[in-house]
Amino acid sequence: MSTKKTFTTEEVEALRANPYTASVTPAIIRFTLEFKKEFWRLSAEGCTGNQAFRKLGYDPDILGFERVHNITKRVRREGKSPEGIRALSKSRMKLTHEGFSNAELEKMSRRESEQRMQNEIVYLQQQMAFLKKLMRQPNDEE
């Protein structure tokens, strides 16, 4: 069982008002690509995770220690990777597809559902690029 804190209705509304929030439910918050890029920039300038969240308009106490720690770790890992900052990693995309019930999907705002569709498009484009790359590689058997 996760030890991440859940958000109250008021906290969900406050988090949803931040332009860097892609979507939020009482259990999950997803950030925009712009958030991740800005977070990485602030991190490179020496900001701690808590400082970066504050500068980007989030209260780390609302997010909770575990969530702040994990997001900080994930963005820094992506920033250092050869691919750089990505909209949503493949493993996180899989969780996105499986993580919502039909009732939760119906409750999503238009902005959240648009963001979800954009994330799916990015994921499918990544899959296509990978498959094209595989098809272009010469056979090792020849």
Side-chain angles (χ1 to χ4, degrees):
M1 183 169 173
S2 177
T3 58
K4 286 183 184 171
K5 95 183 244 343
T6 56
F7 303 123
T8 65
T9 305
E10 294 80 22
E11 291 170 335
V12 167
E13 292 306 314
L15 292 168
R16 189 173 282 141
N18 188 310
Y20 290 117
T21 301
S23 64
V24 64
T25 67
I28 298 169
I29 182 168
R30 289 196 173 77
F31 299 96
T32 63
L33 179 58
E34 293 77 23
F35 167 85
K36 292 168 72 175
K37 288 178 180 178
E38 281 299 303
F39 192 95
W40 173 243
R41 184 186 61 75
L42 291 169
S43 181
E45 291 176 0
C47 286
T48 65
N50 280 343
Q51 290 170 335
F53 272 103
R54 280 191 184 92
K55 287 185 178 189
L56 295 172
Y58 292 99
D59 181 351
D61 294 330
I62 290 176
L63 297 170
F65 172 80
E66 183 180 349
R67 190 175 278 116
V68 168
H69 173 75
N70 290 339
I71 293 165
T72 300
K73 190 168 64 172
R74 186 176 306 116
V75 170
R76 287 180 178 166
R77 183 177 57 236
E78 280 185 25
K80 292 176 184 176
S81 75
E83 297 86 20
I85 301 293
R86 298 177 301 275
L88 197 57
S89 68
K90 291 178 185 178
S91 61
R92 308 278 307 158
M93 181 62 73
K94 185 173 181 177
L95 290 174
T96 301
H97 291 298
E98 297 170 356
F100 292 102
S101 68
N102 286 338
E104 288 175 312
L105 288 171
E106 290 173 9
K107 290 180 187 176
M108 280 186 180
S109 70
R110 181 181 176 109
R111 179 174 159 213
E112 288 171 323
S113 63
E114 286 173 356
Q115 183 64 44
R116 187 174 162 84
M117 287 185 277
Q118 288 173 346
N119 289 341
E120 188 166 352
I121 290 168
V122 168
Y123 176 71
L124 293 171
Q125 287 172 334
Q126 290 171 346
Q127 281 185 324
M128 290 294 296
F130 176 73
L131 292 172
K132 286 179 183 178
K133 185 177 179 181
L134 282 178
M135 292 186 321
R136 283 194 298 258
Q137 290 179 350
N139 277 342
D140 294 330
E141 299 170 7
E142 296 180 63

